[in-house]
Amino acid sequence: MTPAPGPQATAVDECAPDAAGGPGTPATECCSLSGGPMGPDDAQRVAALLKALSDPTRLRLLSHVAAQGCEAVCACDLTEELGISQPTVSHHMKKLVDAGLLTREQRGKWAHYSVVPSAFVELRSFLELG
């Protein structure tokens, strides 16, 4: 086991320098989560959301659906627009639905997807630094 390095960094050392080149704002001001530490249930939920977002194809699909606001988007429109095959679209959209980021509604032959606003509120809240 390697011994611990020299003196521990202070909160000021962990932040960016200010505009004058001096020490930055203390870590509690620039790096803290506004909601405080997470409980195990919240951590599990946010981890599932972030895992679903960790794929570039899913991010592209989600951004196209989110760009429509409250309007549902047909899977048929995503295949051509993004140059992705229908089975690939279905696979990734299922992951986004299972994570709770999108809802799916079957309309005849095609599935239509809409964003779940509360999931984005939860993500925004988690990512907001105070």
Side-chain angles (χ1 to χ4, degrees), residues 15-91:
C15 291
D18 65 15
T25 310
T28 56
E29 291 181 26
C30 68
C31 303
S32 67
L33 291 174
S34 61
M38 299 179 95
D41 292 339
D42 290 337
Q44 188 71 29
R45 171 81 181 128
V46 172
L49 294 173
L50 294 173
K51 183 176 179 182
L53 294 173
S54 69
D55 183 275
T57 300
R58 287 195 284 271
L59 283 174
R60 290 181 66 212
L61 287 165
L62 183 64
S63 72
H64 279 271
V65 176
Q68 301 306 310
C70 296
E71 297 293 317
V73 176
C74 179
C76 60
D77 295 331
L78 297 170
T79 57
E80 188 174 325
E81 189 169 338
L82 296 174
I84 303 170
S85 70
Q86 189 277 325
T88 301
V89 168
S90 293
H91 166 77

